[in-house]
Every structure is written in structure tokens, then in C-alpha cells.
Amino acid sequence: MVTAPLIEIFSSLQGEGPHVGEPMTFVRFQDCELSCKFCDTPLSFVKNKNFRIEWPPFSKKFEREPNPVTVDRLNEILKRYTDPTISITGGEPLQKSPFLKVWLPTLKKMRPIQILLETAGVHWEALDEIIPMIDIVSMDFKLPSSTGMRGYWKEHEQFLKIASQKEVYVKIVITAETDEAEVEESVRLLKNFPKVACILQPASAFGRFKAIPTSEQIHNFQKIVPQARVIPQLHKQLGIL
């Protein structure tokens, strides 16, 4: 029986990217192999004995369920929710591709629903296995100067070749430490994918991370990527999940 550990399930408004403000049900998976300096989901990096369910929505009241969860139990929980879109997020959900391959085909059998995948845009082999079951791909470009890790340009390019079968947009998180040359490299890569929307997302302060960009930096980055829209994290501003 296939299972996977979760962090949380909740109904909220999409807080990032071109679908910002749209109602969605979020299923957040545990675990991520990356370690971005601006990461705001520390529970991705620990083993969670339980996952939480915010119910009712926007109440900040939580029920608890044991990890890991089965496909059947997850679907039982999701029957409570009526949002038109399910966002699969993390952590890095593509690290749970064996579970996704079993679970995703069952979702649209329950009711008509749109499936949005939020991902670091690195695990292209895993995406290739599930892309027919996804409607929208929200992928990140991991800039080394922002994340504190190596660059993933080759992985991002392979990922986009697969993701471009569906609606896909790229989010570039910009910080006070973002290197303009890396933003320019993003532009060069995206020239091969003219239909892919690009979002510049100013980083939010979280925990020990305080390197948020200034308004002047945001303006300069936008000049480098004139086709990009600057969209901050709405859910952080509203104080919601």
C-alpha cells in the first residue's frame, strides 16, 4: 500500500503567482532535498508524526491525523473541500512521485477539479511520470545567490521542456542578495520557452532570513525581465495559510 507523509491540508487563497487570490485546497507534502535560505516551511525538513488539517477553513483551528497517509484516507479528508483547484505543494511533492502516480488519477474521479503542482522545478524525471495528470505547473528558478545553493539551470531547462505541455509559469524569488547576472541567465533560458509566464516574487522575512529586497532592487530586476510581473506573497500580507 502506497503512503506519503504530509505537513498539512487547508483551504485558502493562492498566495503566489498569476493565480493569486484564487480559492484552492492545499495538500502540503513533507520533505525537500533542497535548502533555500528563504524557505518558510521548516517542517519540510523534519519527520512529522502527524499532519494538521485546518477546519473550518480560515479558522486557524486544526485537527491532527497520523503520518503517513494512504490514498484512500487522503481522499476521505478531501471530500470536505469544494474548491475548484487542488494545489499540491511542499516541501517538494515530486519527491513523492510513487504516491502521486497512484493518487492523482483518483482525484478527478471524485469530482471535476483542476490540479496545480508547486515545485522547485528540479525533478524533471518525476514530472515526466505525472505530467498527464497535472493542469498547471508552478515552478521556481533557484538562483544560487538567493538560495545559497548551486545553480540548477540544466535541470530547469529539462523541466520546462516537459512542463510546457501544460500551463506553466516560473517564479523567481528575489532577495537583497540576488545577483543581476543570474536574473539575466533566467531571461536567456526563458527565451526558449516564449509561452511561459515569469513572476518576480520578492522574498518575505521569515525566521532568521531578513534579506528582503528594496524597492529599488525590485525595480532594477523588473527592468532586466520586462515581461515579468512582480507579485508578492499575498497570504503573508493577509495573515492566512
Side-chain angles (χ1 to χ4, degrees):
M1 180 185 299
V2 64
T3 62
L6 303 181
I7 295 174
E8 59 189 353
I9 298 172
F10 59 97
S11 173
S12 188
L13 304 177
Q14 175 57 250
E16 301 177 350
H19 292 274
V20 67
E22 294 182 12
M24 297 187 186
T25 298
F26 294 80
V27 179
R28 186 181 302 282
F29 285 81
Q30 178 189 286
D31 299 329
C32 183
E33 294 172 344
L34 307 185
S35 56
C36 300
K37 289 190 290 187
F38 51 76
C39 180
D40 59 2
T41 315
L43 289 178
S44 299
F45 309 104
V46 298
K47 290 186 177 180
N48 298 285
K49 183 178 179 180
N50 300 295
F51 64 92
R52 67 180 189 174
I53 304 163
E54 186 185 37
W55 192 261
F58 297 91
S59 68
K60 296 190 177 178
K61 296 179 181 179
F62 300 96
E63 301 172 2
R64 304 284 174 175
E65 285 272 337
N67 269 322
V69 69
T70 65
V71 168
D72 288 345
R73 181 56 187 151
L74 178 53
N75 285 344
E76 280 296 317
I77 296 169
L78 292 176
K79 286 178 181 178
R80 292 177 166 187
Y81 299 91
T82 59
D83 297 314
T85 302
I86 286 184
S87 172
I88 303 166
T89 186
E92 174 50 70
L94 287 177
Q95 290 180 208
K96 301 294 183 288
S97 58
F99 183 87
L100 297 180
K101 285 189 291 184
V102 176
W103 173 51
L104 293 179
T106 69
L107 284 178
K108 292 187 179 182
K109 292 181 181 178
M110 294 182 5
R111 62 182 175 89
I113 200 160
Q114 187 169 238
I115 299 174
L116 183 151
L117 173 70
E118 300 192 51
T119 172
V122 172
H123 299 85
W124 59 268
E125 301 98 330
L127 178 68
D128 196 38
E129 294 180 328
I130 66 165
I131 192 64
M133 309 168 220
I134 302 297
D135 298 296
I136 306 169
V137 179
S138 169
M139 70 171 288
D140 293 348
F141 270 12
K142 298 297 186 181
L143 307 188
S145 58
S146 300
T147 65
M149 301 181 297
R150 71 171 179 87
Y152 289 91
W153 303 110
K154 291 183 179 179
E155 290 91 341
H156 289 335
E157 184 174 16
Q158 289 296 325
F159 197 95
L160 277 171
K161 289 178 181 178
I162 299 166
S164 294
Q165 300 174 41
K166 301 297 178 78
E167 177 188 343
V168 55
Y169 58 91
V170 165
K171 293 182 301 180
I172 302 175
V173 177
I174 51 176
T175 76
E177 301 169 333
T178 298
D179 187 332
E180 290 187 5
E182 293 171 2
V183 179
E184 292 169 351
E185 180 63 23
S186 299
V187 173
R188 285 192 288 272
L189 198 162
L190 286 171
K191 283 182 179 178
N192 298 319
F193 304 93
K195 294 183 179 180
V196 175
C198 182
I199 307 300
L200 293 177
Q201 181 173 295
S204 300
F206 182 84
R208 290 181 294 177
F209 178 80
K210 307 297 181 185
I212 58 175
T214 65
S215 56
E216 182 180 11
Q217 286 176 310
I218 294 171
H219 178 60
N220 289 337
F221 292 135
Q222 204 277 328
K223 287 192 292 184
I224 296 172
V225 199
Q227 75 273 27
R229 295 162 61 189
V230 177
I231 303 178
Q233 292 179 295
L234 175 69
H235 56 295
K236 297 292 181 70
Q237 297 183 9
L238 296 180
I240 59 177
L241 294 181

